[in-house]
Structure formats: C-alpha cells, structure tokens
Amino acid sequence: MSKDDAKDKSSRDTHYATLRRAVRDAKRERGEIPTPPQRKPKSNKDWKPPQLQPEQVFLYGLHTVRAALDNSERKLVKLSVTQNAFARLDLGEPAALPFPVEFVSPQDIDKVLGPEAIHQGVMLETRPLPVRRLEALKESPLLLVLDQVTDPHNVGAIMRSAVAFGAGAIITTQRHSPTESGVLAKSASGALELIPYIQITNLADALGELHRLGFQTIGLDSEGPAVVEETFAGDRIALVLGSEGKGLRQKTRETVTALARLDMPGAIKSLNVSNAAAIALYATRQHLAKAGGTSSGAR
C-alpha cells in the first residue's frame, strides 16, 4: 500500500468514526441506548498550580483557543498542542504560523492546568487583552454592569449572552470579580474575545460616568418597584446585576437610575445571575429596537 493510499484510508476511517460517534450521541439523547458511566475524575491532590507572571494568561479548549487565535488584539506567546488537536484547529503548517508551536502530550498540559481542566489537548499562552476605557463605549446602546459577581463560570455564561444580544461591553469591579483566565475564557466559549471586559476600581464612580455618557442604569432586584419592561427610558441602557448571594450592594442601589425586577409569575422569584442577565438583555434589546437604538452593537 502506498503512502497516499494509507493516508486516504486513514481519512476515511476518521470520517466514519466521527459519523458513528454522532449516531451514538443522538441515540443517547433520545434514550435509545444507555449513557456510559462517568469516569472517575483524575486526582489533583499532587498538582500545584504554576506561579503565573502578571502578564501571563493560559487559555485552553479548542473553541476558546481558536477564538483567541482569530482575535487580532491578542498577543500570542506559544501554542502547546497535541497532534490530534492541532489537526482539529486546522491552522495549516506550524512553521508558517506567526507564533511558536510545541507538540506535547495531554499529560504535559495537565501538569500546567491541572488534571480537572477540560483542555481537549490544546493550551495557548497569551498576554491579557488591552485595557478598555468607559469613554470608548459612548456609541454602544447596551452595556452590562456586574456588581461583584465572583464566579468565573457565571461571568463566562453572562459573556456569551451579552455577545448574543449585541451588548457593547461588560463592566465589573477589579475586586471580588474574576480576572481574565483560562477558566473564565473556557466558560465564555470564545465570547471573551468578542466583547470588552472592563474592570474598574469604583463602581459608583463608573455608574456616574455612564450617566454623563447618557446611559440609564437599571439595577435588577427581585423586589424592585416595577418590572424592567416598564422602567426603560431612552436609547442607552446599562443593566446592573448583583452578586450571586447578596445581590446589589447598597451603594449601587443608591447610585443607579432605577431599580427593577424581572416579571416572574411562578413560585420562584429569583434566578441564577447568568439566567437573569439573559432575560434582561432580551427585554432591553426589544426596547431598543422600538426606540430605534439598534444602530450600534445590534445583530
């Protein structure tokens, strides 16, 4: 068998294996075949996280890394990747890429990220994204402000919703908020590269600056005096959401233009912050469409 024949056979085998997996997954979703038991998670008791430098960020996961590679504002340092993951990234010849590529084993990546990270055989060392200022957001009709939302998984999910509904940026505090990291980027599944993530020192001052830029700031509170749809005014809205447990801080409640609640007629009156953000973003986008404020950031 020639090398070309062997390569064709390997490609066909890979193609049919992918089709078989897709058929099995579909059957499992329909309940036609049982889902295999979950593997026992690898122990991380002996793993110690590396000491990162201030300008050092490790991103991981195929979708997250691909989005970072496509972001012209990302300064790339090195791609560590398995042969299989490199083929799935479809980047061409490694020697032709403008950044170093190191082929490694999954275990090599585990040593850096820990055995619980779902890295899919790819890790990208980068520098943090450029710092953004509030003044640059004056043309955007929709912003999202987070008052000490600490869980990077929640912030990542909020990022995805913010990008989906065309928000211009996510603004959060430097303290008690997740910094740019692999966990945040993986949870955002590429959205970190698509929306400015602005961390400020004083939230009340930032809200005041948004007011000067013409934004109505609406704090979401389960006991707000009116439903959010009845609170909207104007064509620039900044939604403000509080932390997972305590909600909005008192100073924030006193600073926003208005407090409002989501209309929830059922027995449960509060939602996870990422779910609340998605619903509020949808309602705001509906208002902006009627107000004619969809010229910037809308899809």
Side-chain angles (χ1 to χ4, degrees):
M1 181 182 294
S2 69
K3 290 184 178 179
D4 289 342
D5 290 339
K7 185 176 180 180
D8 290 343
K9 183 177 185 300
S10 177
S11 298
R12 288 196 301 272
D13 290 345
T14 300
H15 173 69
Y16 288 124
T18 300
L19 291 177
R20 288 194 295 272
R21 282 196 298 270
V23 170
R24 285 199 302 270
D25 290 344
K27 287 184 176 180
R28 287 186 182 119
E29 288 181 3
R30 296 194 298 265
E32 296 175 7
I33 59 175
T35 299
Q38 294 291 323
R39 295 180 180 178
K40 185 178 180 180
K42 294 175 282 187
S43 172
N44 65 348
K45 62 180 181 180
D46 298 325
W47 176 74
K48 293 182 179 180
Q51 193 70 32
L52 297 182
Q53 299 301 314
E55 292 294 302
Q56 194 175 32
V57 176
F58 286 107
L59 305 179
Y60 57 89
L62 288 167
H63 193 71
T64 300
V65 167
R66 184 68 217 216
L69 294 175
D70 290 340
N71 184 359
S72 60
E73 295 189 336
R74 230 350 138 181
K75 185 174 181 181
L76 310 175
V77 178
K78 184 175 70 172
L79 178 66
S80 301
V81 64
T82 65
Q83 291 281 356
N84 181 55
F86 187 79
R88 295 176 69 183
L89 286 171
D90 193 23
L91 296 173
E93 292 298 322
L97 296 173
F99 48 85
V101 177
E102 179 185 16
F103 288 102
V104 297
S105 70
Q107 291 73 27
D108 292 327
I109 300 178
D110 286 345
K111 292 176 183 177
V112 179
L113 301 178
E116 294 183 356
I118 305 175
H119 53 70
Q120 299 174 291
V122 58
M123 178 179 70
L124 179 66
E125 182 181 348
T126 81
R127 298 288 181 254
L129 288 168
V131 174
R132 302 292 184 89
R133 303 297 179 190
L134 294 181
E135 293 82 359
L137 305 176
K138 60 184 178 182
E139 300 303 324
S140 176
L142 174 57
L143 303 176
L144 204 55
V145 182
L146 305 181
D147 185 8
Q148 297 190 349
V149 178
T150 57
D151 188 339
H153 298 92
N154 276 336
V155 175
I158 289 169
M159 279 186 177
R160 287 179 55 80
S161 296
V163 170
F165 289 107
I170 292 178
I171 301 166
T172 186
T173 53
Q174 289 180 351
R175 296 184 62 191
H176 306 294
S177 297
T179 57
E180 185 178 332
S181 68
V183 175
L184 175 62
K186 186 70 163 62
S187 300
S189 191
L192 177 61
E193 311 300 325
L194 300 174
I195 186 170
Y197 183 57
I198 302 174
Q199 293 189 292
I200 45 86
T201 55
N202 187 295
L203 185 56
D205 290 347
L207 292 173
E209 179 64 20
L210 292 179
H211 295 157
R212 287 188 288 274
L213 292 173
F215 284 91
Q216 179 196 25
T217 58
I218 300 177
L220 292 185
D221 187 285
S222 59
E223 298 181 358
V227 295
V228 69
E229 291 88 345
E230 298 173 358
T231 308
F232 295 131
D235 58 2
R236 288 184 181 175
I237 307 292
L239 297 169
V240 188
L241 292 94
S243 64
E244 294 90 343
K246 299 180 180 179
L248 297 173
R249 288 177 294 166
Q250 184 61 33
K251 181 65 173 178
T252 305
R253 295 166 61 89
E254 295 170 355
T255 308
V256 294
T257 309
L259 292 170
R261 67 181 187 274
L262 297 177
D263 183 22
M264 289 182 285
I268 294 176
K269 298 300 181 184
S270 63
L271 295 172
N272 174 279
V273 64
S274 63
N275 293 333
I279 295 170
L281 284 165
Y282 175 79
T284 309
R285 182 52 69 187
Q286 295 297 104
H287 162 76
L288 292 174
K290 294 176 184 177
T294 58
S295 59
S296 174
R299 296 289 180 184

